[in-house]
Amino acid sequence: LAKTTQPISMDSYEGQEVNITCSHNNIATNDYITWYQQFPSQGPRFIIQGYKTKVTNEVASLFIPADRKSSTLSLPRVSLSDTAVYYCLAKRDNYGQNFVFGPGTRLSVLP
Amino acid sequence: NAGVTQTPKFQVLKTGQSMTLQCAQDMNHEYMSWYRQDPGMGLRLIHYSVGAGITDQGEVPNGYNVSRSTTEDFPLRLLSAAPSQTSVYFCASSYSLGRSDEQFFGPGTRLTVL
């Protein structure tokens, strides 16, 4: 069962746009792509979810190409408070029920 | 709504002791789960429940028991604590197991086993 693949870490500066790409080559037809954010000493928090094309909310945008084998989370004009770990979820476990969390992408926003 | 609550926030145990981590949610969610997170790692599923009276094992169930007598509560019991169980434990809930359902996480319990 192929898990999602995303960069282990990224650095950015305040005010920049950050794009984190996730690979999910074996995504199932009915699976959604979901991103969570986790701050130190806190539980993960839902950011955004999509199935195809583009989804935007007040926090982020999610771009999903037609083949759905990858997705890109876009954070506009990041601030220091966006420093966190970002998880891309697109795969169920062998029971077909539970999402599998990978190690995520550790984003560090520098002043 | 309080969302998902967990107690205690911190706990230190000695090897061989047992204890119960409490989790409660007030959103009337059917699905609840327990994860553990080791330093620098993602979350690994321990046990989950799709409704009151129904539980099942996740990826790393050994050494843990769960029960679900009510929709609101989903306690995790460590039978005989071992140093390998030192971790941060998160409880989560969602409305169902639907493919687009958002999971809500509690604040976590940081457990150290000496």
Side-chain angles (χ1 to χ4, degrees), chain A residues 11 24 26 30 50 53 58 65 70 73 84-85 96-97 101 107:
Chain A
D11 291 336
H24 29 78
N26 295 330
N30 295 330
T53 64
E58 64 278 5
S70 66
L73 174 72
V85 178
Q97 294 179 324
F101 280 81
L107 173 65

Side-chain angles (χ1 to χ4, degrees), chain A residues 31 36 49 87 92 97-98, chain B residues 31 37 42 48 99-100 103:
Chain A
D31 272 341
Y36 284 80
Q49 183 178 79
Y87 297 97
R92 300 284 178 158
Q97 294 179 324
N98 298 291
Chain B
Y31 179 80
Q37 185 173 37
Y48 64 96
R99 295 181 182 275
S100 62
Q103 288 195 74

Side-chain angles (χ1 to χ4, degrees), chain A residues 3 28 30-32 34 36 38 41-46 49 87 89 92-93 95-104 106, chain B residues 31 33 35 37 40-45 48 50 56-59 90 97-108 110:
Chain A
K3 294 183 180 179
N30 295 330
D31 272 341
Y32 282 72
T34 310
Y36 284 80
Q38 185 179 27
S41 302
Q42 294 186 26
R45 182 176 71 107
F46 174 91
Q49 183 178 79
Y87 297 97
L89 278 67
R92 300 284 178 158
D93 64 10
Y95 306 100
Q97 294 179 324
N98 298 291
F99 284 111
V100 176
F101 280 81
R106 185 172 300 275
Chain B
Y31 179 80
S33 57
Y35 293 88
Q37 185 173 37
M41 306 285 286
L43 284 75
R44 292 186 292 170
L45 183 67
Y48 64 96
V50 299
D56 207 344
Q57 297 179 351
E59 179 186 358
F90 291 102
L97 277 178
R99 295 181 182 275
S100 62
D101 280 341
E102 171 188 350
Q103 288 195 74
F104 294 82
F105 285 82
R110 187 174 297 272

Side-chain angles (χ1 to χ4, degrees), chain A residues 34-91:
Chain A
T34 310
W35 287 79
Y36 284 80
Q37 175 191 55
Q38 185 179 27
F39 296 114
S41 302
Q42 294 186 26
R45 182 176 71 107
F46 174 91
I47 301 177
I48 197 167
Q49 183 178 79
Y51 185 79
K52 59 181 178 181
T53 64
K54 177 183 175 182
V55 179
T56 298
N57 61 21
E58 64 278 5
V59 176
S61 294
L62 180 60
F63 300 91
I64 306 167
D67 65 7
R68 302 196 340 115
K69 294 186 176 183
S70 66
S71 59
T72 299
L73 174 72
S74 180
L75 305 172
R77 298 181 299 282
V78 294
S79 65
L80 296 177
S81 62
D82 292 317
T83 294
V85 178
Y86 293 82
Y87 297 97
C88 165
L89 278 67
K91 291 303 297 177

Side-chain angles (χ1 to χ4, degrees), chain A residues 98-99 101, chain B residues 4 6 23 25 30-36 43-50 56 58 66 68 74 76 89-94 97 103-106:
Chain A
N98 298 291
F99 284 111
F101 280 81
Chain B
V4 179
Q6 293 182 236
C23 174
Q25 52 91 10
E30 289 295 323
Y31 179 80
M32 296 186 74
S33 57
W34 276 102
Y35 293 88
R36 62 175 287 174
L43 284 75
R44 292 186 292 170
L45 183 67
I46 305 172
H47 285 285
Y48 64 96
S49 169
V50 299
D56 207 344
V66 292
R68 184 98 179 269
F74 190 43
L76 177 73
Y89 292 84
F90 291 102
C91 179
S93 74
S94 65
L97 277 178
Q103 288 195 74
F104 294 82
F105 285 82

